[in-house]
């Protein structure tokens, strides 16, 4: 349903922007499903925005054909445990 919605929005002229925080997958199972998800996401995404230089560098290593210099990097502070 998610990719159907993205396709519908693209047909209506929307631009899809994905925010990249961490490129490591939380679960390593279902490789085929992850591969399909990445291919569809890449085909539908117009712009990536990175929350740190390290996420930008990791993304470029994992997906070199998607990495472009015009993808912006925003400032995102480090998460800290409250009281430490």
């Amino acid at each position: 349903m998610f990719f159907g919605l993205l396709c519908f929005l693209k047909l209506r002229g929307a631009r899809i922007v994905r925010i990249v925080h961490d490129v490591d997958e939380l679960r390593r199972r279902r490789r085929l499903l992850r591969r399909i998800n990445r291919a569809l996401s890449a085909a539908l995404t117009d712009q990536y925005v990175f929350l740190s230089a390290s996420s930008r560098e990791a993304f470029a290593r994992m997906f070199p054909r998607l990495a472009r210099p015009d993808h912006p990097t925003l400032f995102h502070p480090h998460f800290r445990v409250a009281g430490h």
Side-chain angles (χ1 to χ4, degrees), residues 4-71:
L5 174 62
L6 290 180
C7 288
F8 172 76
L9 292 171
K10 292 283 287 186
L11 288 172
R12 299 207 46 183
R15 293 185 41 86
I16 307 299
V17 177
R18 295 199 59 194
I19 297 175
V20 179
H21 180 268
D22 190 358
V23 295
D24 290 331
E25 288 135 350
L26 297 176
R27 296 195 177 122
R28 304 259 178 217
R29 297 178 298 160
R30 299 184 178 147
R31 288 185 179 158
L32 178 60
L33 185 59
R34 281 196 331 265
R35 213 178 290 157
I36 292 168
N37 183 338
R38 283 193 296 252
L40 288 172
S41 293
L44 295 169
T45 299
D46 296 298
Q47 184 77 37
Y48 293 92
V49 174
F50 298 94
L51 295 183
S52 68
S54 61
S55 66
R56 180 188 190 92
E57 292 161 5
F59 182 86
R61 279 192 305 275
M62 285 186 79
F63 311 107
R65 69 177 189 82
L66 298 176
R68 296 191 327 243
D70 65 329
H71 295 312

